[in-house]
Amino acid sequence: MADATAPQLLSTTTAYGDDRLILAQNLAEWVGIAPTLEEEMSIANIALDVLGHAKMFYDLAAELEGEGRTADDFAYQRYAHDFRCILLVQLPKGDWAQTIVRQLMFAAFDTLQADTMAESSHEGLAAIGAKSRVESKYHLKHAVIWTERLAGGTEESHRRMQAAVDDLWRFGSELFELPEGGAKCVEAGVLADPASLKETWLETVTEPLRRYDIALPEVSHSVTGGREGKHSEHLVPLLTELQSVARAFPGAQW
Amino acid sequence: MSDSIAPSDASHSDGDLYEVFIQTKGGQPFAHVGSVHANDSTMAIQVARDVYTRRPPVNGMWVVKSDAIHSTDSSENEMMFSPADDKIYRHVKFYNIPKPPKGDS
């Protein structure tokens, strides 16, 4: 059964790796300029966890592909038009409130998805789910702690949280969009349908916001396209920087 | 000017200073590993987890507001802590307790 879905699993795991590689890179942008010295450690730790998840997905993708490529090849030798990450992770880090709102949205989904993945009949996916769910749970806890304190803090922090939710909410629906091949994986029973996670996700994300009077915007038009390779203007500069050393010294070892 | 070993000054615009204690294994003592600044105890626990618990094994962690800790002044160590080892009459084993006479109920 797993063999029949290998190409679909390949494109799905690649896309999930892409989500996390790009998110990790954007989280790492805070290193050196985080709001407190303690948060330097927290945000870097979270970025490294997410990068680790990216590597797990890329390692599985490389194995499914069976052409001798490595996780490094997936991360450093593909062009923006090959990436299939969602738009939410491509957005620049913004201010701390925007980073926290993105974390809240992504980590809430990631925790739910990892839980279902840990039960997958596909060994490789189950291993990723089991390992990542513990870390993602902490990312969500961190995001909720900060959401409460920013939304319920000063007039300025509340205003910035509201602005962040207003900006980012429209990118939320893409979390539930399956990558190419994902539908076949759901059909084959190796992947849970993300649509089944939406209700719990909504409650998890809106509960702390509601408690501190952050209103949800009316979204007239969800912004999507990343899963089809229609990316934001931010992805190319991000990848140019991320891949610059690997491309300048191809095959380098150290 | 006393040479204080108290936790350092707690007033700081980045919140309160908390001392962090970690227990490696259940039943073991909690050991002091350092401090963090935070605005409340929940945040203190969260940041202490990220700053201090990423490598060692941890079974439990305490955070204590630094100003809740009261310490001795090391300039008074001689007065406070001189051991009484040279005062043998204060040791339990110095005195021979005679055996009770036979026949006592």
Side-chain angles (χ1 to χ4, degrees):
Chain A
M1 178 180 67
D3 283 332
T5 57
Q8 288 84 10
L9 256 176
L10 169 58
S11 52
T12 302
T13 53
T14 303
Y16 287 152
D18 291 345
D19 287 339
R20 287 149 184 84
L21 178 73
I22 302 307
L23 179 60
Q25 184 74 353
N26 274 323
L27 285 170
E29 291 282 319
W30 280 108
V31 171
I33 52 172
T36 66
L37 194 56
E38 287 82 0
E39 274 302 316
E40 283 286 333
M41 306 300 294
S42 294
I43 206 72
N45 179 51
I46 292 171
L48 286 172
D49 284 349
V50 174
L51 187 63
H53 301 169
K55 181 170 189 298
M56 287 195 284
F57 278 112
Y58 284 151
D59 281 341
L60 180 56
E63 194 188 304
L64 289 165
E65 193 188 49
E67 285 170 19
R69 284 210 288 176
T70 66
D72 279 352
D73 292 320
F74 277 79
Y76 295 115
Q77 302 298 335
R78 290 156 63 228
Y79 290 96
H81 56 254
D82 294 319
F83 275 67
R84 292 292 179 272
C85 42
I86 59 176
L87 298 176
L88 180 66
V89 299
Q90 303 176 23
L91 304 174
K93 70 187 193 302
D95 64 12
W96 191 247
Q98 288 177 302
T99 288
I100 292 302
V101 171
R102 167 163 58 198
Q103 281 306 103
L104 182 66
M105 292 167 73
F106 189 87
F109 177 78
D110 196 28
T111 305
L112 290 169
Q113 185 181 53
D115 269 341
T116 64
M117 218 175 256
E119 311 301 319
S120 173
S121 55
H122 189 278
E123 226 174 77
L125 281 178
I128 295 176
K131 175 81 204 278
S132 65
R133 71 166 137 188
V134 174
E135 295 177 340
S136 299
K137 202 166 167 192
Y138 181 73
H139 303 168
L140 177 59
K141 183 183 166 82
H142 171 269
V144 171
I145 286 174
W146 269 103
T147 295
E148 293 170 340
R149 280 148 185 79
L150 291 173
T154 63
E155 185 267 314
E156 178 178 1
S157 69
H158 182 94
R159 178 172 44 84
R160 285 177 181 272
M161 275 302 277
Q162 183 65 68
V165 169
D166 290 343
D167 280 346
L168 298 181
W169 200 247
R170 76 200 74 185
F171 295 97
S173 67
E174 207 180 9
L175 285 163
F176 302 90
E177 220 178 278
L178 283 162
E180 188 189 324
K184 274 258 149 49
C185 297
V186 171
E187 241 175 71
V190 296
L191 197 68
D193 189 348
S196 67
L197 308 173
K198 187 136 197 193
E199 205 181 310
T200 309
W201 176 85
L202 205 54
E203 181 52 31
T204 305
V205 170
T206 57
E207 196 273 326
L209 297 172
R210 258 198 328 265
R211 251 191 293 143
Y212 292 98
D213 297 319
I214 298 287
L216 295 180
E218 290 298 318
V219 177
S220 59
H221 171 64
S222 277
V223 186
T224 63
R227 289 285 188 236
E228 292 134 53
K230 295 183 186 129
H231 296 302
S232 70
E233 70 270 29
H234 308 290
L235 189 62
V236 170
L238 184 153
L239 284 174
T240 304
E241 190 180 72
L242 175 66
Q243 300 178 342
S244 57
V245 174
R247 288 185 186 277
F249 303 99
Q253 301 287 320
W254 56 77
Chain B
M1 187 67 183
S2 58
D3 172 27
S4 175
I5 54 168
S8 43
D9 183 39
S11 63
H12 196 286
S13 63
D14 287 338
D16 299 322
L17 191 65
Y18 288 80
E19 301 301 324
V20 183
F21 301 82
I22 281 173
Q23 183 195 47
T24 308
K25 227 174 85 167
Q28 295 297 305
F30 281 74
H32 183 240
V33 292
S35 60
V36 292
H37 281 100
N39 287 79
D40 59 72
S41 60
T42 302
M43 281 234 71
I45 286 175
Q46 180 248 300
V47 296
R49 179 265 195 196
D50 289 327
V51 176
Y52 292 111
T53 75
R54 297 285 70 218
R55 291 201 185 98
V58 177
N59 188 65
M61 185 172 72
W62 291 343
V63 296
V64 182
K65 268 222 188 124
S66 301
D67 59 19
I69 296 175
H70 311 278
S71 82
T72 56
D73 191 324
S74 58
S75 71
E76 298 185 325
N77 280 359
E78 199 186 346
M79 170 189 74
M80 289 284 279
F81 303 126
S82 286
D85 286 350
D86 58 339
K87 300 184 176 117
I88 59 171
Y89 52 84
R90 297 173 85 148
H91 295 191
V92 168
K93 297 246 189 260
F94 178 80
Y95 295 97
N96 278 318
I97 312 292
K99 286 198 174 24
K102 286 212 179 5
D104 268 4
S105 47

